[in-house]
């Protein structure tokens, strides 16, 4: 069961697809983290979005609807990466972005001429994008204030599927349209679901500047090189930025090189993070373990760094080679992919490949151990009260929320480095 989760982020994908749908089409939206799918509801067509780890579950839903005679369209990251597989469970697969393509798909459906696959030949323009149907977002602890200003990212890290998904094209919406949409959102707190909000530094400057008069609070994702641009940090803070998700990924330069993330320099991490804290911006970071240069000592070393830097929140996971990425091709060629059960491709509960310098069990245990250490009450107090001291009124509850969520996973793991003592 997916519904009833403790941490519920709002979802933008299907509310935006709904906004791209002609007004005379009646729409019902189900977000499975809020409520279960109702198979008895009558429908002509069901559209389902899915990531890789959710794909087996999405396929079950698709099969059930198709068994009841309902036409199913699949879209999102996994169907775009593996369209032939998705087509086994759908009447049609929409690859990549929906703008421009979705209306033709619906037209073909009405004429009884639905094709197996739809994909825009070129990335759509983001000018004049409709506003997502936020009225369809329900039951979200974080409200409905989700928005995007840009799509894709100018970088191409070896484990990331975005370059392939977006035809290697980073694009920005007109700043005026983003600001007008942000102003129209009743909530005071916004989440930018962009992949990299600072993919174009000048654009980001302009956006942050024009957000200032709205006096909203916001969080978003950016690359670590934001710390090189002092003015941008201050504009972000002035425009209401409370926290940034930064993909540090690793504290080992060789691991970063291995995956093409050379724009992250671990020697700059401590200083960069304290610059953000000084500006009142909390740091949430993505961390990936299991690169070829990672050995069993990496978990303990990373924990020491996270405490020293006072990293506010961390998403800690094992390297997950999504199909369609360069890292998947490499590991497959080396015979190191252990399973194609996509439900295990969630970076948390399973390791799906054979690491180079440790066993997959050690990698899994190390990820669990680090997660438990990071969200222990001792570490939460040291990181937040001693080092970070940023946004404590929301940072402490958020850390406690993650602690409860991860405690529920129930596996404490162990520190693989200690097995050698
Ligand atoms: C926001 C986000 C989240 C939020 C989700 C909030 C929510 N409830 O939706 C949170 C933080 C919870 C999250 C969690 C995870 N995420 Co995430 N997330 C994203 C992010 C940054 C943006 C997605 C988004 O909303 N974009 C804005 C909307 C409007 O765009 P869109 O979703 O692409 O939809 C457009 C098209 O794709 C298309 N479309 C999509 N689906 C469909 C379906 C139909 C029927 C149609 C017609 C069209 C269509 O139409 C839209 C308009 O063009 C993406 C990166 C990305 N660019 O996709 C990663 C991304 C989707 N996440 C990813 C991952 C790995 C995860 C996690 C596994 C992380 C983790 N270890 O926990 C979990 C998995 C959760 C799950 N069970 O699936 C990967 C997925 C890779 C893969 N192959 O599956 C991505 C692509 C990031 C990356 N760089 O690799 N994520
Ligand atoms: S910086 Fe982040 S979003 Fe951009 S390609 Fe690398 S992993 Fe993907």
């Amino acid at each position: 069961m997916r519904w009833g989760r403790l941490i519920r982020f709002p979802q933008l994908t299907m509310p935006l697809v709904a906004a791209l749908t002609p007004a005379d089409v009646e729409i019902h939206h189900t977000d499975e983290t809020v409520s279960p799918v109702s198979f008895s509801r009558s429908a002509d067509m069901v559209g389902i979005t899915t990531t890789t780890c959710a794909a087996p579950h999405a396929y079950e839903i698709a099969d059930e609807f198709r068994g009841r005679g309902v036409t199913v369209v699949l879209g999102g990251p996994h169907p775009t990466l593996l369209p032939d597989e998705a087509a086994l469970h759908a009447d049609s697969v929409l690859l990549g972005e929906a703008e421009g393509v979705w209306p033709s798909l619906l037209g073909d459906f009405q004429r009884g001429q639905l094709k197996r696959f739809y994909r825009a030949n070129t990335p759509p323009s983001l000018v004049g994008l409709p506003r997502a149907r936020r009225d369809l977002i329900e039951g979200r602890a974080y409200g409905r204030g989700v928005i995007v200003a840009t799509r894709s990212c100018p970088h191409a890290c070896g484990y990331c599927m975005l370059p392939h998904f977006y035809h290697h094209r980073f694009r920005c919406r007109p700043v005026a349209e983003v600001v007008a949409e942000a102003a129209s959102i009743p909530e005071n707190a916004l989440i930018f679901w962009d992949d990299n909000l600072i993919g174009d530094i000048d654009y980001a400057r302009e956006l942050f500047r024009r957000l200032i008069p709205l006096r909203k609070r916001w969080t978003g994702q950016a690359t670590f090189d934001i710390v090189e641009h002092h003015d941008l940090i201050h504009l972000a803070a002035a425009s209401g930025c409370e926290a940034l998700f930064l993909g540090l990924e690793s504290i080992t330069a060789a691991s970063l090189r291995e995956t093409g993330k050379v724009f992250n320099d671990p020697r700059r991490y401590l200083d960069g993070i304290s610059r953000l804290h000084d500006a009142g911006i909390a740091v949430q970071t993505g961390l990936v373990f299991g690169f070829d240069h990672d050995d069993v000592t990496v978990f303990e070393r990373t924990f020491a760094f996270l405490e020293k830097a006072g990293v506010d929140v961390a998403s800690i996971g094992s390297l997950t080679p999504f199909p369609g990425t360069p890292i998947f091709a490499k590991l497959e060629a080396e015979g190191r992919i252990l399973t194609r059960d996509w439900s295990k491709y969630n970076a948390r509960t399973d390791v799906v490949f054979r690491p180079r310098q440790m066993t997959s069990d050690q990698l899994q245990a190390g990820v669990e151990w680090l997660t438990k250490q990071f969200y222990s009450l001792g570490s939460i107090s040291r990181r937040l009260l001693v080092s970070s001291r940023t946004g404590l009124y929301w940072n402490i509850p958020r850390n406690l929320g993650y602690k409860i969520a991860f405690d529920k996973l129930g596996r404490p793991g162990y520190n693989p480095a200690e097995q050698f003592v």
Side-chain angles (χ1 to χ4, degrees):
M1 258 323 141
R2 274 137 211 274
W3 51 282
R5 279 187 188 160
L6 182 68
I7 295 172
R8 292 172 166 184
F9 286 105
Q11 110 112 241
L12 190 61
T13 304
M14 298 318 273
L16 180 56
V17 173
L20 299 167
T21 306
D24 58 343
V25 176
E26 192 187 325
I27 296 173
H28 178 83
H29 177 229
T30 300
D31 176 347
E32 272 200 289
T33 46
V34 177
S35 54
V37 173
S38 162
F39 290 105
S40 54
R41 181 183 293 274
S42 84
D44 298 318
M45 177 191 276
V46 168
I48 305 173
T49 182
T50 183
T51 55
T52 294
C53 64
H57 177 70
Y59 293 160
E60 279 172 22
I61 296 172
D63 294 344
E64 177 68 33
F65 273 118
R66 291 180 88 207
R68 293 167 183 251
V70 180
T71 297
V72 170
V73 179
L74 282 168
H78 192 72
T80 301
L81 296 170
L82 294 182
D84 292 330
E85 177 190 286
L88 299 174
H89 304 273
D91 297 283
S92 185
V93 180
L94 188 147
L95 285 76
E97 294 158 271
E99 287 77 10
V101 192
W102 177 237
S104 0
L105 183 154
L106 292 176
D108 288 353
F109 173 65
Q110 277 168 337
R111 287 187 293 276
Q113 294 169 356
L114 195 62
K115 298 188 195 70
R116 294 297 274 161
F117 301 105
Y118 288 82
R119 171 154 213 174
N121 293 328
T122 49
S125 155
L126 300 185
V127 177
L129 214 60
R131 291 180 189 171
R133 290 268 316 268
R134 292 190 178 78
D135 57 300
L136 298 174
I137 302 177
E138 300 179 317
R140 290 310 197 153
Y142 289 87
R144 301 173 188 189
V146 271
I147 185 164
V148 289
T150 65
R151 279 199 193 156
S152 195
C153 170
H155 303 293
C157 304
Y159 57 86
C160 186
M161 53 147 279
L162 296 184
H164 170 74
F165 188 88
Y166 290 111
H167 301 272
H168 293 264
R169 286 270 304 279
F170 174 73
R171 280 151 297 138
C172 304
R173 296 175 63 194
V175 170
E177 291 184 20
V178 180
V179 173
E181 183 170 350
S184 76
I185 296 173
E187 273 88 357
N188 204 23
L190 303 177
I191 305 180
F192 281 93
W193 271 155
D194 298 55
D195 305 304
N196 180 3
L197 203 46
I198 64 153
D200 175 334
I201 300 283
D202 288 336
Y203 175 87
R205 275 196 188 100
E206 177 67 4
L207 176 66
F208 298 166
R209 208 172 278 130
R210 305 228 343 233
L211 283 174
I212 294 172
L214 302 190
R215 303 173 70 83
K216 302 236 182 203
R217 297 178 283 120
W218 62 268
T219 59
Q221 303 190 98
T223 39
F224 183 70
D225 49 317
I226 188 168
V227 304
E228 309 300 338
H229 305 276
H230 297 219
D231 67 319
L232 197 55
I233 293 179
H234 291 290
L235 278 174
S239 65
C241 177
E242 287 192 326
L244 284 174
F245 184 103
L246 306 175
L248 297 186
E249 320 303 2
S250 177
I251 58 161
T252 312
S255 296
L256 292 163
R257 268 199 305 281
E258 176 188 324
T259 193
K261 203 148 189 160
V262 283
F263 49 90
N264 274 8
D265 180 354
R267 289 171 305 186
R268 309 273 298 117
Y269 285 175
L270 282 177
D271 178 49
I273 291 169
S274 80
R275 253 183 229 176
L276 289 163
H277 283 157
D278 288 348
I281 297 175
V283 174
Q284 173 162 3
T285 179
L287 290 164
V288 176
F289 296 90
F291 292 113
D292 284 355
H293 288 86
D294 289 345
D295 63 22
V296 290
T297 64
V298 70
F299 307 103
E300 209 167 76
R301 285 187 286 116
T302 306
F303 183 48
F305 156 75
L306 294 170
E307 290 224 323
K308 192 168 180 192
V311 165
D312 301 88
V313 177
S315 302
I316 298 161
S318 57
L319 178 64
T320 303
F322 291 112
T325 57
I327 191 78
F328 186 90
K330 173 183 178 283
L331 293 171
E332 192 178 43
E334 293 171 358
R336 294 165 64 192
I337 297 288
L338 296 175
T339 176
R340 280 169 192 265
D341 174 351
W342 304 132
S343 67
K344 296 184 170 168
Y345 280 60
N346 58 47
R348 296 258 161 77
T349 58
D350 293 274
V351 170
V352 297
F353 75 104
R354 195 174 302 114
R356 174 91 58 206
Q357 298 203 53
M358 57 185 118
T359 65
S360 41
D361 284 347
Q362 285 173 324
L363 174 51
Q364 179 61 28
V367 164
E368 288 169 12
W369 175 82
L370 180 57
T371 305
K372 294 278 175 180
Q373 300 302 312
F374 186 83
Y375 290 109
S376 64
L377 290 178
S379 183
I380 293 175
S381 352
R382 285 190 294 277
R383 287 183 291 103
L384 302 189
L385 302 177
V386 181
S387 308
S388 162
R389 298 190 299 271
T390 309
L392 294 180
Y393 71 98
W394 63 266
N395 223 342
I396 293 176
R398 186 143 189 220
N399 266 267
L400 294 175
Y402 277 115
K403 176 178 169 45
I404 295 167
F406 288 122
D407 280 350
K408 273 193 185 164
L409 286 178
R411 299 195 305 198
Y414 61 89
N415 180 359
E418 283 174 2
Q419 307 303 304
F420 292 91
V421 189

